[in-house]
Amino acid sequence: MKKKLLTILGIGLFFSFFIGAFTHDFNLAFKFGLAYFILYYLPLVPWMMLIKEFSDLDTAFYSIILGVIVSPLFYLAVGALEFRLTKTVFIAIPLIIFVLGFLMHFRRKKEREKPKEVLEKKEEVKILKKPTESPNTEKDDSGNS
Amino acid sequence: MDISKHAKWIILFLFILGVALRLQVDGIYVDNPGTIKAADAFYYVLSAENIAETGKYGYFPYYITDGSDDMIDAHVPLMLISGSGLTSTSGLKAWNTVYILVCIIFSLPIIIAFYFAKRLFNSDHVGILASSILVVPLFIGKWWYLMYIGMWTTAIGIALAFVCFWLVYECVNAPKDWKYIMLGLVSIGTLLFHFQDLIMIAPLILFVFFNLWKIHKLTKDFFKKIGMILIPNIFFFIFYFSRFYTVFTSGRSSFGWQNQVFTNAPYYVNINHLGYLLLGLALLGLLLMCLNYKKYIFFIGTCIYFSFYLYIFPKITAAAFDIMRSRFIIIFIAALFIAYAIYFFVINIHKYLKLPKITMVLAIVTIFIVAGLPGQFALVEQMKSQHLTPEKYSVMLWIQENTPKDARIFFLDGYFQHSNYYSKRVSTAPEIPELQKHINKFFATQNLSLEFNTGLGMSTELGTSFYSCKKNFFFLEKMCFEPSEDIQKITDFDYVVIAPISEQVVPYEKAMADLLMTKYNYTQVYAQHGTLILRGGK
């Protein structure tokens, strides 16, 4: 999981900074790379990771494809409602999408863990039951009951 | 070697290479808007820059609308907003950020072609071949025209329409919930980047609905899946519909019936621009698919629909101009046919000569890219010319810093394709034919004419969507603004910029400067790189 996340983020960072490098200016390249990564790549990563059948690269590709659509849709909503599209808004919206994605991710994880816990508890009960049963059977066997 | 493990890494490499090659064409200019090569792009960049500077979305900058700052901008918003976001947060100028976004989105078909071909032919090899065809296609002067000339929303719209096409195919042939959600998001993206291209895809999305109805009938599942596609479209209806409606009913995008006669224009491509070799391979690919038609029936049927939409429909509709531009999608679809045909040869060679398939595929990928590079180099060379050179841009910066916001500027020479709007003042610049008329008259009679047939604002470029202002959140009022007169007198302007264009024109420019200074009390306030700025004596 951690390795997958690091690979996906690594691809996104490489892609963002590689494009930034076309400015031939280290400072601008860094700023652009970071901006592109945060605004149009990062927000979709946790959401795409929810899709189980995706490999690392599938997740990266779909984050690139949908990244340029999803954040701008929310910018449009903010702008059309006549709120100012400030730097804070441009950064906050993708970060909110990102955090919501991660919350969703953890919720799913917990949901998946619940049936596991129930199964484990059932197994524990079975295991616990077995020693209590065996003395009885022993008793039975001994004919003391 | 197991190709399935490495195929996507190859695609990632091809995608990044594709973006890099596209970025190289117009180039990234840090100091001056050299990236912009034509009028459309000037408008996009200025609008994106305006959002980044003012934080206000949906209104034209006042210098485009003759000084009014409440004129509604009904153009599709997503590209402008996306670009302004990057400009606002990174500090990189809008002419670069918007172009970078265009290049990224215009390269997405490289990824999609892989997934599409893999789904269609169940082979990573065909996927890699299809992607490689799109990295730097032959005749890029034709296929990349929209991207490098500045018809950016159209370029993006066509790339996203291809993504929609692929998602429609996935939804019909291998349905999953996430594919419906993605189709919803990409379709709203297409609509808000360039809504005309969604018209091409809309019947296919309706087919998805029909298919869902066939499978689920009117059950809960049917409505759930339909909802997944439609819910993202709420963004359109709430936040953009009124603007869309204004444009749609303005006459500019009318869908009347009309018998069309076409002329050759650079923004139209045709199937023959694939070149004879690739066209032959595409036809072979189509033939092979037709032989196995039961498997490919939906794809072949869709291609027949596209043929109708792109070739028959424009002949009978008034919107032919817009529809024919969608023909740029041909290369994305043709890449799938071509890759399939090539793979047919690869399999047979593998069968008889025992050459490894991956070696052959990678060799062909290399050949495709190398073959496209001369075209790329030629295009980069051709696109080196700039409307706003650093010298010309320094004039613009001088005007921005040293003139009042309500100053009106007349650009006599050298500023074409609406580049004058980078002065960020209400301004006009006569187009070449009009200017030529004045120059010819001067050399013939030695008389200077002060009246020019040139309207203020970008009204000709922006169409009637320009003339509307906001009534309330949902409705716009049409024609609440009177456009300026077509005839403009040079002496009515606060500043006159006289920029050099050629040696032959210098006597005309000199005579005009002398006349303005001696007879109309203009004074020289700027003189650099041969450019003069005269301030009116009013």
Side-chain angles (χ1 to χ4, degrees):
Chain A
M1 168 70 191
K2 259 186 194 170
K3 198 186 157 200
K4 185 178 182 176
L5 183 65
L6 284 175
T7 312
I8 296 162
L9 294 182
I11 292 169
L13 279 170
F14 172 76
F15 178 62
S16 308
F17 288 110
F18 175 79
I19 291 167
F22 276 81
T23 58
H24 302 290
D25 178 313
F26 183 79
N27 191 26
L28 268 177
F30 179 76
K31 279 185 184 169
F32 175 83
L34 201 61
Y36 181 82
F37 180 75
I38 293 172
L39 266 59
Y40 301 134
Y41 183 84
L42 190 66
L44 266 292
V45 169
W47 292 96
M48 293 301 109
M49 282 174 75
L50 288 171
I51 302 165
K52 276 190 225 163
E53 61 199 81
F54 277 5
S55 67
D56 303 358
L57 278 160
D58 288 329
T59 312
F61 286 153
Y62 286 94
S63 300
I64 293 171
I65 295 167
L66 293 183
V68 288
I69 295 171
V70 175
S71 301
L73 280 179
F74 289 96
Y75 297 153
L76 170 67
V78 172
L81 291 170
E82 306 261 334
F83 291 108
R84 297 266 157 187
L85 285 165
T86 60
K87 203 172 173 176
T88 318
V89 172
F90 280 126
I91 294 172
I93 286 175
L95 288 180
I96 291 168
I97 300 171
F98 174 77
V99 170
L100 286 176
F102 251 93
L103 290 176
M104 186 68 111
H105 198 78
F106 287 121
R107 210 185 114 189
R108 279 273 173 93
K109 210 178 162 188
K110 269 189 183 175
E111 274 173 6
R112 259 184 255 139
E113 276 168 2
K114 262 184 190 172
K116 266 187 194 174
E117 277 173 18
V118 172
L119 272 177
E120 278 167 9
K121 272 183 186 172
K122 275 183 183 172
E123 275 173 19
E124 267 176 35
V125 171
K126 274 183 188 174
I127 292 162
L128 285 170
K129 268 184 182 175
K130 272 183 185 171
T132 54
E133 278 170 0
S134 55
N136 289 342
T137 49
E138 271 171 20
K139 272 179 187 176
D140 287 344
D141 289 344
S142 60
N144 290 336
S145 62
Chain B
M1 185 176 147
D2 183 8
I3 185 68
S4 62
K5 281 182 188 166
H6 307 286
K8 283 172 192 162
W9 286 103
I10 297 171
I11 299 304
L12 178 66
F13 169 74
L14 293 178
F15 172 65
I16 292 176
L17 179 66
V19 177
L21 291 171
R22 281 158 180 78
L23 282 173
Q24 237 193 343
V25 176
D26 282 352
I28 298 295
Y29 293 82
V30 174
D31 300 317
N32 70 302
T35 312
I36 307 173
K37 311 295 180 189
D40 291 39
F42 271 108
Y43 155 71
Y44 297 136
V45 166
L46 283 166
S47 280
E49 208 166 285
N50 188 52
I51 296 171
E53 282 169 3
T54 62
K56 224 170 121 185
Y57 153 74
Y59 297 92
F60 283 114
Y62 76 97
Y63 45 85
I64 288 184
T65 54
D66 304 6
S68 304
D69 56 4
D70 60 345
M71 290 295 108
I72 285 289
D73 183 355
H75 284 81
V76 275
L78 241 50
M79 187 180 75
L80 312 176
I81 292 183
S82 316
S84 65
L86 284 174
T87 297
S88 178
T89 49
S90 72
L92 189 62
K93 294 289 186 182
W95 58 79
N96 291 321
T97 55
V98 176
Y99 183 62
I100 288 171
L101 279 169
V102 172
C103 289
I104 291 171
I105 300 174
F106 200 57
S107 303
L108 291 181
I110 296 172
I111 298 173
I112 299 305
F114 169 77
Y115 283 116
F116 211 151
K118 199 181 163 191
R119 170 70 63 197
L120 270 170
F121 310 111
N122 201 21
S123 161
D124 288 309
H125 294 101
V126 191
I128 295 169
L129 286 167
S131 294
S132 67
I133 293 163
L134 300 177
V135 173
V136 49
L138 295 171
F139 306 104
I140 55 168
K142 274 282 172 191
W143 294 108
W144 287 4
Y145 181 81
L146 298 176
M147 181 198 79
Y148 66 76
I149 209 65
M151 294 158 92
W152 288 337
T153 49
T154 319
I156 288 179
I158 286 161
L160 288 179
F162 182 63
V163 182
C164 276
F165 175 30
W166 165 68
L167 284 167
V168 164
Y169 187 84
E170 285 283 317
C171 288
V172 171
N173 290 284
K176 289 264 170 69
D177 282 357
W178 63 263
K179 289 174 189 172
Y180 296 118
I181 297 171
M182 272 191 198
L183 179 59
L185 285 169
V186 179
S187 61
I188 184 65
T190 313
L191 191 70
L192 291 172
F193 272 113
H194 193 238
F195 63 74
Q196 183 242 310
D197 290 308
L198 193 70
I199 297 168
M200 177 169 60
I201 296 296
L204 302 182
I205 296 176
L206 287 176
F207 183 79
V208 175
F209 293 172
F210 172 70
N211 194 54
L212 280 170
W213 173 78
K214 240 173 57 182
I215 298 167
H216 301 286
K217 298 298 173 196
L218 291 176
T219 58
K220 200 178 155 188
D221 268 357
F222 170 77
F223 290 108
K224 191 180 141 193
K225 288 173 188 355
I226 292 270
M228 287 173 183
I229 300 172
L230 290 181
I231 283 172
N233 290 280
I234 286 172
F235 277 94
F236 166 72
F237 285 103
I238 298 178
F239 302 115
Y240 186 63
F241 182 76
S242 56
R243 288 155 203 265
F244 169 82
Y245 182 76
T246 314
V247 180
F248 204 73
T249 53
S250 67
R252 195 173 180 232
S253 304
S254 73
F255 267 79
W257 302 106
Q258 194 178 323
N259 189 20
Q260 296 283 352
V261 180
F262 300 116
T263 51
N264 278 330
Y267 36 81
Y268 298 150
V269 278
N270 223 326
I271 199 152
N272 60 310
H273 292 126
L274 289 168
Y276 291 120
L277 178 67
L278 292 189
L279 183 59
L281 285 168
L283 290 174
L284 178 64
L286 177 65
L287 183 70
L288 289 169
M289 286 174 96
C290 287
L291 290 175
N292 199 2
Y293 68 93
K294 276 185 185 166
K295 192 178 170 190
Y296 302 116
I297 186 75
F298 177 65
F299 186 75
I300 294 169
T302 314
C303 291
I304 292 169
Y305 159 70
F306 277 132
S307 310
F308 171 80
Y309 182 86
L310 298 173
Y311 284 93
I312 312 283
F313 198 39
K315 287 190 189 295
I316 50 171
T317 175
F321 174 79
D322 295 320
I323 290 171
M324 281 175 69
R325 283 193 295 190
S326 300
R327 283 186 187 172
F328 284 84
I329 203 170
I330 288 171
I331 193 155
F332 304 145
I333 299 167
L336 303 172
F337 290 122
I338 295 165
Y340 187 47
I342 293 171
Y343 191 60
F344 170 75
F345 291 115
V346 168
I347 287 177
N348 282 298
I349 294 169
H350 173 71
K351 211 167 155 186
Y352 296 109
L353 299 177
K354 304 288 173 214
L355 276 172
K357 276 194 263 181
I358 186 63
T359 313
M360 282 188 278
V361 167
L362 290 179
I364 294 165
V365 166
T366 314
I367 290 168
F368 269 132
I369 293 169
V370 171
L373 286 179
Q376 159 85 11
F377 296 143
L379 191 60
V380 171
E381 201 54 41
Q382 184 192 326
M383 298 317 291
K384 270 187 179 159
S385 65
Q386 302 170 33
H387 274 291
L388 277 183
T389 55
E391 296 79 32
K392 282 184 174 182
Y393 189 56
S394 65
V395 174
M396 298 304 199
L397 290 178
W398 187 92
I399 294 171
Q400 287 174 28
E401 285 158 14
N402 296 288
T403 62
K405 282 214 158 187
D406 58 352
R408 288 154 53 89
I409 323 273
F410 193 100
F411 286 83
L412 185 62
D413 205 351
Y415 287 85
F416 302 115
Q417 297 267 342
H418 299 302
S419 59
N420 52 303
Y421 284 95
Y422 244 106
S423 64
K424 300 196 175 174
R425 296 292 180 269
V426 174
S427 61
T428 192
E431 291 294 332
I432 294 173
E434 173 66 10
L435 197 58
Q436 194 62 52
K437 222 166 66 186
H438 281 255
I439 293 166
N440 291 346
K441 191 183 163 194
F442 169 74
F443 283 117
T445 64
Q446 292 298 306
N447 283 331
L448 285 164
S449 168
L450 298 175
E451 286 186 340
F452 290 80
N453 188 359
T454 172
L456 275 178
M458 273 180 155
S459 51
T460 47
E461 198 55 45
L462 300 173
T464 42
S465 58
F466 180 78
Y467 311 121
S468 50
C469 62
K470 206 165 190 173
K471 224 174 176 182
N472 58 42
F473 184 74
F474 283 104
F475 298 102
L476 304 179
E477 193 175 310
K478 279 192 208 170
M479 302 299 286
C480 56
F481 165 72
E482 280 300 315
S484 63
E485 294 293 323
D486 281 343
I487 303 293
Q488 298 289 335
K489 201 172 176 190
I490 193 167
T491 49
D492 289 342
F493 286 79
D494 304 312
Y495 292 83
V496 176
V497 179
I498 301 175
I501 186 164
S502 69
E503 281 294 319
Q504 289 91 335
V505 183
V506 170
Y508 168 75
E509 291 171 338
K510 212 169 166 292
M512 182 62 89
D514 288 343
L515 178 73
L516 290 174
M517 286 196 284
T518 51
K519 202 170 169 190
Y520 295 95
N521 297 330
Y522 277 80
T523 48
Q524 187 178 305
V525 287
Y526 178 96
Q528 272 182 43
H529 313 293
T531 301
L532 297 180
I533 300 178
L534 309 178
R535 187 170 57 208
K538 280 189 277 182

